[in-house]
Amino acid sequence: MRTYTNVFDLGDLNAALAEAFEIKQDRYKYEALGKHKTCLLIFFNNSLRTRLSTQKAARNLGMDVIVLDVNQGAWKLETERGVIMDGDKSEHLLEAIPVMGSYCDIIGVRSFARFENREDDYTEKILNQFIQYSGRPVFSMEAATGHPLQAFADLITIEEYKKKERPKVVLTWAPHPRALPQAVPNSFADFMNEANVDFVITHPEGYELDPKFVRDAKVEYNQMKAFEGADFIYAKNWACPGVICPEDYGKVLSKDMGWTVDEAHMAVTDNAFFMHCLPVRRNMIVTDGVIEAPTSLVIPEAANREISATVVLKRMLQAL
């Protein structure tokens, strides 16, 4: 596997899940694979779970790890071609990328949507430059429009906790004070559409996700109706994706607290598990009572980030 940016890079999901549970039984089983190999993790944005879990995963496989915070301790990087670099950016990404590649064997990149230009975000301009120019296998640690390590961990968690062969999984929008990217909901939809689940997406009008991620999922604008009989509720805010009105891309169209996941919402489910990628704004996205209930999976879900990253890095090492 040379790149990891979406569900299709994993191939057969059942095989990927089997690999994940094998690794969960023995996290150091493939420790020899990474001997004398270096994983470079590049962060254009803040991180907690991704940083810690991916470093741990690389070390599970015997790799050395270099972490670069682009905005702290590195030259400011220009990403646009044709720019006269007479400002505060001292180095161009097109020189920096191959230099980074010369110091490592595998590269992980984390770079959020900028909400300046929908086309730039949805063509994954920064991530794809690393894929094109680094000369190394590249995996996404969250990009402008996808977070496949999170979505794989989500799938592992659902597989662990499901009570029926084909559970009903609901992705629900919830309010947030700031504009957030669509990366997590996009990748969650990407994975759920290929998994053996009954998948429903619910959100206010104007928050329609890109069709390439929605695919054949059922979209329900009545949140309470969507929750009925659900086995898993996955809550996440996202800003307007600009599918219906491109001029609204990245805007906060609603802060309707009626969409907050509370006990009344969960009461119409089939005793559903609650999921969220974290960090979460309590009593905006979800109430204290729901996130602290025995049915909340946010901690085991976060722990599975180590497992999803280990599987991805293992496959990349095996392909070197």
Side-chain angles (χ1 to χ4, degrees), residues 118-136:
R118 189 182 193 278
E119 183 179 357
D120 283 353
D121 287 343
Y122 271 77
T123 55
E124 292 293 1
K125 196 171 183 179
I126 291 179
L127 178 64
N128 282 324
Q129 286 186 75
F130 276 92
I131 292 171
Q132 185 175 357
Y133 299 116
S134 69
R136 298 294 184 224

Side-chain angles (χ1 to χ4, degrees), residues 159-211:
E159 188 69 16
E160 281 184 303
Y161 286 88
K162 70 181 185 182
K163 298 174 183 177
K164 60 183 71 165
E165 186 60 27
R166 186 177 173 84
K168 179 178 178 180
V169 178
V170 178
L171 168 63
T172 181
W173 179 92
H176 195 280
R178 296 174 50 242
L180 297 185
Q182 295 102 49
V184 169
N186 282 346
S187 280
F188 187 74
D190 195 34
F191 270 71
M192 291 303 105
N193 275 307
E194 303 308 312
N196 184 28
V197 302
D198 175 15
F199 183 48
V200 179
I201 304 172
T202 185
H203 54 72
E205 292 188 14
Y207 282 93
E208 290 79 6
L209 296 172
D210 193 288

Side-chain angles (χ1 to χ4, degrees), residues 263 282-283 286-294:
E263 290 85 342
R282 283 182 175 228
N283 301 306
V286 58
T287 60
D288 291 336
V290 171
I291 199 170
E292 293 176 11

Side-chain angles (χ1 to χ4, degrees), residues 49-308:
R49 278 148 295 277
T50 297
R51 179 187 295 259
L52 297 179
S53 63
T54 311
Q55 286 186 69
K56 179 65 166 62
R59 288 174 176 146
N60 290 350
L61 296 164
M63 301 187 78
D64 293 318
V65 182
I66 301 173
V67 177
L68 175 65
D69 286 296
V70 171
N71 297 318
Q72 298 178 29
W75 298 114
K76 288 188 177 181
L77 296 174
E78 179 58 64
T79 61
E80 301 297 322
R81 289 180 179 272
V83 173
I84 296 173
M85 292 176 59
D86 60 354
D88 64 343
K89 295 176 180 176
S90 305
E91 186 162 9
H92 202 287
L93 203 59
L94 293 180
E95 284 79 62
I97 289 172
V99 169
M100 294 176 193
S102 70
Y103 301 143
C104 65
D105 300 280
I106 294 173
I107 297 176
V109 181
R110 182 176 177 92
S111 179
F112 293 172
R114 296 179 175 182
F115 290 144
E116 295 171 359
N117 182 300
R118 189 182 193 278
E119 183 179 357
D120 283 353
D121 287 343
Y122 271 77
T123 55
E124 292 293 1
K125 196 171 183 179
I126 291 179
L127 178 64
N128 282 324
Q129 286 186 75
F130 276 92
I131 292 171
Q132 185 175 357
Y133 299 116
S134 69
R136 298 294 184 224
V138 173
F139 66 98
S140 170
M141 297 191 297
E142 187 169 359
T145 65
H147 197 348
L149 287 176
Q150 179 65 55
F152 186 19
D154 297 334
L155 178 62
I156 293 166
T157 307
I158 290 170
E159 188 69 16
E160 281 184 303
Y161 286 88
K162 70 181 185 182
K163 298 174 183 177
K164 60 183 71 165
E165 186 60 27
R166 186 177 173 84
K168 179 178 178 180
V169 178
V170 178
L171 168 63
T172 181
W173 179 92
H176 195 280
R178 296 174 50 242
L180 297 185
Q182 295 102 49
V184 169
N186 282 346
S187 280
F188 187 74
D190 195 34
F191 270 71
M192 291 303 105
N193 275 307
E194 303 308 312
N196 184 28
V197 302
D198 175 15
F199 183 48
V200 179
I201 304 172
T202 185
H203 54 72
E205 292 188 14
Y207 282 93
E208 290 79 6
L209 296 172
D210 193 288
K212 72 179 180 181
F213 298 109
V214 175
R215 299 202 279 279
D216 296 326
K218 179 181 178 182
V219 177
E220 173 57 65
Y221 293 98
N222 183 319
Q223 188 189 29
M224 198 65 83
K225 184 177 179 182
F227 275 41
E228 290 176 358
D231 300 291
F232 293 88
I233 299 297
Y234 196 104
K236 185 71 179 77
N237 174 267
W238 61 90
C240 176
V243 172
I244 306 300
C245 296
E247 63 272 19
D248 287 337
Y249 175 61
K251 293 182 179 178
V252 175
L253 303 180
S254 173
K255 293 182 182 178
D256 183 356
M257 297 290 285
W259 284 77
T260 300
V261 179
D262 58 15
E263 290 85 342
H265 284 85
M266 297 299 286
V268 304
T269 71
D270 188 9
N271 196 31
F273 291 106
F274 175 80
M275 300 178 70
H276 188 279
C277 61
L278 301 182
V280 66
R281 299 270 185 147
R282 283 182 175 228
N283 301 306
M284 282 208 76
I285 299 288
V286 58
T287 60
D288 291 336
V290 171
I291 199 170
E292 293 176 11
T295 48
S296 174
L297 297 181
V298 295
I299 303 305
E301 180 184 358
N304 276 331
R305 290 292 307 280
E306 175 191 346
I307 306 304
S308 65

